[in-house]
Amino acid sequence: MLYGRLDDLREQAATRLTQALRSTGGTLQDRSQRDSSVQMYTEQVDQYAVVENGLAFGRLDTDDDGRHYIGRIGIFDPSDDYDPLLMDWRAPAARPFYLATAANPQGVRRRRHLRTRRRTVVGLDDEVLDLATATPNGHEELTGEASLLAALNAGRTGRMRDIVETIQAEQDQVIRADLPGVLVVQGGPGTGKTAVALHRAAYLLYTHRRELSSRGVLLVGPNATFLRYISQVLPALAETGVLLRTQADLFPGVSARRTESAEAAAVKGRPVMTEVLAAAVRDRQWVPDEPLEVEVEREALHLDPQTCRAARDRVRRSGRPHNLARPLFDVEIVHALAAQVAERIGADPLGGDNLLAEADIAEIRRELAEEPGVRAALDELWPVLTPQRLLADLFADPDRIATAAPQLTAAERDLLHREPGGWTPADVPLLDEAAHLLGEDDRAAAARRDRIRVLQREYAEGVLEIWRGSRSIDVEDEADGGEILGVTDLIDADRLLDRQEESERLTTAQRAAADRTWAFGHVIVDEAQELSPMAWRLLMRRCPSRSMTIVGDVAQTGALSGTPSWGDALEPYVAQRWRLEELTVSYRTPAEIMAVAADVLAEIDPALTPPRSVRSSGVPPWDRTVSPDSLVREAVAATAKEAADLAEGRLGVIVPAGRVADLEAALVGEVPEVAVGEHPELESRVVLLTVAQAKGLEFDRVLVVDPAGIVAESPRGRSDLYVALTRATQHLGILRPR
């Protein structure tokens, strides 16, 4: 049945997106409108792309002679009581497509897998789920083996693809797990952890749309390259409302791109930093050693240390965060200064009671609170701080560090010391902790919003007044003699302003990205083993309901402050109330490569078991040793040869961080298509990168240069090497300096 073409709609959305991107605007409101338009039209283009890339990928023939097509979204026939023409892969009725086997057919006689290239069917595979005709094979537990292996053997494109056509039973169990609580998905390399996490996000939004649409879903990845790598998966599943972020982007207004040593990041990630930051805040609540002179109308008042200390202690007992406690401190100090002024001007010369009435003293307090000298003294004694200022001042001053962190060693305190100028990813959880300790006094922001509202209302009234002036004198309706109603008879300034604000409303993801205190309905963390204890504190604040999906592999932990075990990371927040699911089958990594990686895994922990590969490439990894002096030259030659042998797909060259510069200089001249850097072009045929940049990515071929150097770079270097060896889907080469 033909419903019409989507080409024109998609072209219109793309045209509007281009216009929105070109519209810069001069005011904050203009830019907000542009950003909202960009978001809306981007989502439209992505949704139309779902149709362009092919909807249906399977069919179920059931025992009752039913026939059901399975697709990326659901389509219903409005002319036939909305019977399903295409069943959404997330619907409960579609689940047998992933779970039915010959031993448990679940009412399915035949399962058909359709392979498409955009809108064209290029192949199909049938599975007859009948024990009488089923024949054992090496992969009898796989669903749609032919389609799965075809997808695994296809060349990489530089972007992750959805796996709705080839979801396996153990993956389906994780994807459709219940929403509440913390679900940990532990899996080795190539088990599909990331794909499962993304499809779980799509499934949860489909199944729990009402609960999650207003609060949103946050997906946290290890780096920006990884987020670009997975960026097309959810739009391909018709879901565009998930906020994708790295740890470096989880504090609104801060883009943490500064680099630092792994040792400094490890210190910042330790739980003791909560005590350090709390002490740093207390240190800013200053008590002078000598009386502090306060100039008021050319007269000098004095605040002695005892008065300041008493005021500070009383305010601290209120339990309020630092910035929210500042008004209480202002009252204490102003009252003390007002008592001095009252004593000077109201003293009874005969030695009796003060001659000033309470109303006079109240007026003195009001005037003192507005005095510049008094405000300056208050800012010195109890400054209103931003998280950025607190941390910048702390890290820039060794004396402040020593005062706030006596429990750290001298070497650890030296690691914290640095000059201002940008933020590192490890700083972001500290900024969040500081914001929590400081609190935000939003009275000024509220007052500013009120002033803007008044100005906007005046503008709206002006618009309506112009309309009134443009109307002619009352026009009599010939039929009944009534007046013709105009816009000003139907709407006033407030309603016009409300409608304008509704048209500028941001999406859930946009509002969540700008609000540090936003509580997400669900949080998904990929490569979660890299998170420090301080990063876990940040994420738990973002998800008070503790509805989370945690995805990772503790054997691949590379960060010094990373997660040694899931219990250590989670039990401070949820005790024993978390559940574990394990993915045990590696779909990406061939058996020949996994055998090499298994030797490294045994060195990490002999108790760990590598995942079981479902396929063999037939090509064993090559391993060659060369002289140290010729390593760069041999690496360039090996890269050129591997790239030449690559008919399609991509080659990843993974090296120690200390060798990137030398290899980049040598490779650029010999292999022009090589991409290098923190954010390489993912579609490039050849990519030179470190292990940290390679996390979560995959390549058809991988060349690991100087594995001993990778191990030596970090106390967890064997875990890094394990990651590097398991990025390949087809071929692996290893080049070692003798």
Side-chain angles (χ1 to χ4, degrees):
M1 182 177 294
L2 182 65
Y3 288 98
R5 291 180 61 86
L6 291 171
D7 298 14
D8 292 341
L9 292 175
R10 189 181 182 192
E11 289 175 4
Q12 291 174 17
T15 300
R16 292 168 182 164
L17 173 59
T18 302
Q19 294 170 348
L21 287 169
R22 290 175 178 171
S23 173
T24 57
T27 67
L28 181 62
Q29 183 176 359
D30 292 332
R31 291 194 295 273
S32 175
Q33 289 178 328
R34 182 204 61 184
D35 292 343
S36 298
S37 299
V38 168
Q39 175 76 14
M40 179 178 66
Y41 295 134
T42 298
E43 291 181 1
Q44 288 184 7
V45 171
D46 287 339
Q47 288 167 354
Y48 296 143
V50 176
V51 180
E52 291 288 341
N53 292 332
L55 290 179
F57 56 80
R59 192 183 82 189
L60 289 177
D61 297 346
T62 59
D63 291 340
D64 58 2
D65 294 328
R67 179 173 290 181
H68 308 285
Y69 284 92
I70 314 297
R72 287 173 170 80
I73 61 175
I75 298 178
F76 301 89
D77 184 356
S79 66
D80 190 11
D81 200 23
Y82 288 90
D83 280 349
L85 295 173
L86 187 65
M87 188 180 298
D88 193 298
W89 68 275
R90 296 165 288 189
R95 199 170 190 189
F97 185 80
Y98 303 109
L99 299 184
T101 64
N104 181 21
Q106 300 190 22
V108 177
R109 289 190 296 106
R110 177 167 53 192
R111 173 172 47 216
R112 170 166 291 181
H113 293 263
L114 304 173
R115 296 199 302 275
T116 62
R117 183 175 296 116
R118 298 183 70 81
R119 296 188 184 184
T120 303
V121 177
V122 296
L124 59 87
D125 301 288
D126 281 349
E127 294 177 272
V128 178
L129 305 182
D130 184 344
L131 284 175
T133 59
T135 58
N137 61 69
H139 304 141
E140 65 274 2
E141 75 280 8
L142 297 181
T143 298
E145 179 183 339
S147 296
L148 173 63
L149 295 180
L152 294 175
N153 290 321
R156 306 299 100 177
T157 64
R159 302 284 180 175
M160 177 177 278
R161 296 171 289 202
D162 67 72
I163 61 167
V164 289
E165 304 173 37
T166 58
I167 292 173
Q168 300 302 300
E170 69 170 7
Q171 296 173 329
D172 184 81
Q173 181 177 344
V174 174
I175 291 170
R176 298 176 192 262
D178 292 339
L179 172 66
V182 177
L183 173 66
V184 176
V185 184
Q186 163 74 35
T191 54
K193 299 184 298 297
T194 297
V196 166
L198 293 169
H199 288 70
R200 176 160 171 77
Y203 170 78
L204 292 176
L205 285 166
Y206 173 85
T207 309
H208 305 278
R209 182 78 62 183
R210 179 176 299 178
E211 299 96 315
L212 297 180
S213 60
S214 61
R215 300 311 309 167
V217 174
L218 170 66
L219 192 151
V220 181
N223 53 58
T225 301
F226 172 83
L227 293 187
R228 288 190 293 125
Y229 175 63
I230 67 172
S231 62
Q232 295 179 359
V233 175
L234 286 169
L237 301 175
E239 294 294 350
T240 56
V242 178
L243 180 64
L244 275 61
R245 284 291 184 268
T246 67
Q247 176 180 310
D249 302 312
L250 286 176
F251 192 88
V254 168
S255 181
R257 298 294 179 261
R258 184 172 178 170
T259 59
E260 65 184 341
S261 68
E263 291 76 15
V267 173
K268 293 177 181 179
R270 289 164 50 186
V272 71
M273 289 304 297
T274 60
E275 302 172 15
V276 173
L277 293 177
V281 172
R282 291 194 300 270
D283 185 48
R284 304 304 292 269
Q285 299 163 1
W286 180 56
V287 173
D289 296 328
E290 301 292 337
L292 182 66
E293 185 175 289
V294 182
E295 185 175 341
V296 177
E297 294 183 351
R298 299 182 182 178
E299 294 186 15
L301 302 176
H302 293 85
L303 286 170
D304 59 78
Q306 293 80 8
T307 299
C308 295
R309 182 174 293 104
R312 182 196 66 182
D313 293 344
R314 280 194 293 271
V315 173
R316 281 181 176 178
R317 286 195 292 270
S318 72
R320 293 189 182 186
H322 174 87
N323 289 339
L324 301 185
R326 166 66 185 266
L328 301 181
F329 185 77
D330 290 358
V331 169
E332 294 285 342
I333 296 301
V334 168
H335 277 222
L337 294 174
Q340 293 184 36
V341 174
E343 185 176 349
R344 288 183 184 181
I345 66 177
D348 185 350
L350 300 179
D353 294 336
N354 196 295
L355 300 178
L356 295 178
E358 182 59 34
D360 298 324
I361 297 176
E363 180 63 19
I364 293 173
R365 292 169 182 161
R366 186 189 64 77
E367 293 176 354
L368 284 174
E370 298 174 357
E371 279 288 330
V374 174
R375 304 305 304 175
L378 291 170
D379 288 340
E380 189 174 7
L381 294 168
W382 195 292
V384 174
L385 299 168
T386 64
Q388 292 92 324
R389 180 183 168 189
L390 176 71
L391 258 67
D393 291 350
L394 174 66
F395 293 156
D397 190 339
D399 292 335
R400 289 192 188 277
I401 296 174
T403 300
Q407 63 273 65
L408 298 182
T409 66
E412 290 170 338
R413 291 195 293 270
D414 288 342
L415 289 171
L416 294 179
H417 175 56
R418 70 159 190 240
E419 295 303 318
W423 303 101
T424 71
D427 292 331
V428 170
L430 303 186
L431 289 168
D432 191 76
E433 184 74 18
H436 178 69
L437 293 170
L438 293 172
E440 183 179 359
D441 187 352
D442 60 356
R443 291 177 300 172
R448 185 166 57 253
R449 287 194 298 269
D450 290 341
R451 290 195 300 272
I452 293 174
R453 173 84 182 189
V454 169
L455 293 175
Q456 290 176 333
R457 190 180 189 283
E458 291 175 354
Y459 180 81
E461 288 176 340
V463 171
L464 294 177
E465 188 61 34
I466 293 173
W467 175 263
R468 293 189 191 98
S470 66
R471 291 184 61 193
S472 58
I473 301 175
D474 295 342
V475 180
E476 299 294 331
D477 188 282
E478 294 181 359
D480 55 14
E483 295 181 354
I484 297 177
L485 297 178
V487 66
T488 55
D489 300 308
L490 302 174
I491 192 171
D492 58 17
D494 287 323
R495 293 181 64 186
L496 179 60
L497 184 56
D498 290 340
R499 289 190 177 186
Q500 176 67 14
E501 290 177 346
E502 288 178 4
S503 68
E504 299 169 1
R505 187 169 296 162
L506 300 177
T507 65
T508 297
Q510 287 174 314
R511 287 183 288 127
D515 186 354
R516 187 195 68 83
T517 63
W518 189 273
F520 287 92
H522 193 76
V523 170
I524 298 174
V525 188
D526 202 353
E527 301 290 344
Q529 74 277 356
E530 303 299 329
L531 295 184
S532 69
M534 292 301 296
W536 282 111
R537 284 177 65 87
L538 181 156
L539 289 179
M540 292 299 171
R541 287 198 189 98
R542 296 293 193 277
C543 192
S545 66
R546 304 293 190 262
S547 178
M548 309 177 80
T549 301
I550 308 301
V551 180
D553 179 13
V554 292
Q556 299 185 58
T557 303
L560 296 183
S561 58
T563 300
S565 74
W566 300 121
D568 290 347
L570 299 173
E571 286 173 9
Y573 306 100
V574 297
Q576 302 292 328
R577 299 185 302 276
W578 58 279
R579 57 196 194 275
L580 175 68
E581 293 284 352
E582 293 194 63
L583 300 176
T584 60
V585 179
S586 178
Y587 305 98
R588 176 183 67 215
T589 311
E592 295 86 351
I593 296 177
M594 187 56 71
V596 175
D599 293 337
V600 178
L601 182 63
E603 295 177 3
I604 298 172
D605 185 349
L608 296 175
T609 302
R612 176 171 51 87
S613 298
V614 300
R615 65 192 177 102
S616 297
S617 65
V619 180
W622 61 261
D623 190 329
R624 190 163 69 246
T625 301
V626 300
S627 68
D629 294 340
S630 65
L631 179 65
V632 172
R633 183 174 65 255
E634 293 288 349
V636 171
T639 301
K641 182 180 185 306
E642 291 288 334
D645 293 342
L646 189 64
E648 62 175 351
R650 300 163 66 243
L651 166 65
V653 183
I654 304 178
V655 302
R659 292 192 180 273
V660 170
D662 291 342
L663 277 171
E664 176 183 1
L667 276 174
V668 169
E670 297 294 328
V671 188
E673 67 265 44
V674 67
V676 188
E678 179 67 22
H679 307 297
E681 288 299 324
L682 292 171
E683 289 81 5
S684 299
R685 292 186 70 246
V686 182
V687 181
L688 173 67
L689 67 175
T690 65
V691 175
Q693 296 163 355
K695 276 190 178 291
L697 306 183
E698 61 183 19
F699 304 89
D700 298 270
R701 293 171 178 252
V702 166
L703 173 62
V704 177
V705 178
D706 190 7
I710 291 175
V711 173
E713 277 189 335
S714 166
R716 294 189 173 176
R718 296 189 189 281
S719 295
D720 289 343
L721 180 57
Y722 183 59
V723 171
L725 295 174
T726 54
R727 299 302 95 195
T729 65
Q730 302 294 338
H731 304 293
L732 171 67
I734 303 171
L735 197 62
R736 308 174 186 269
R738 185 174 297 112

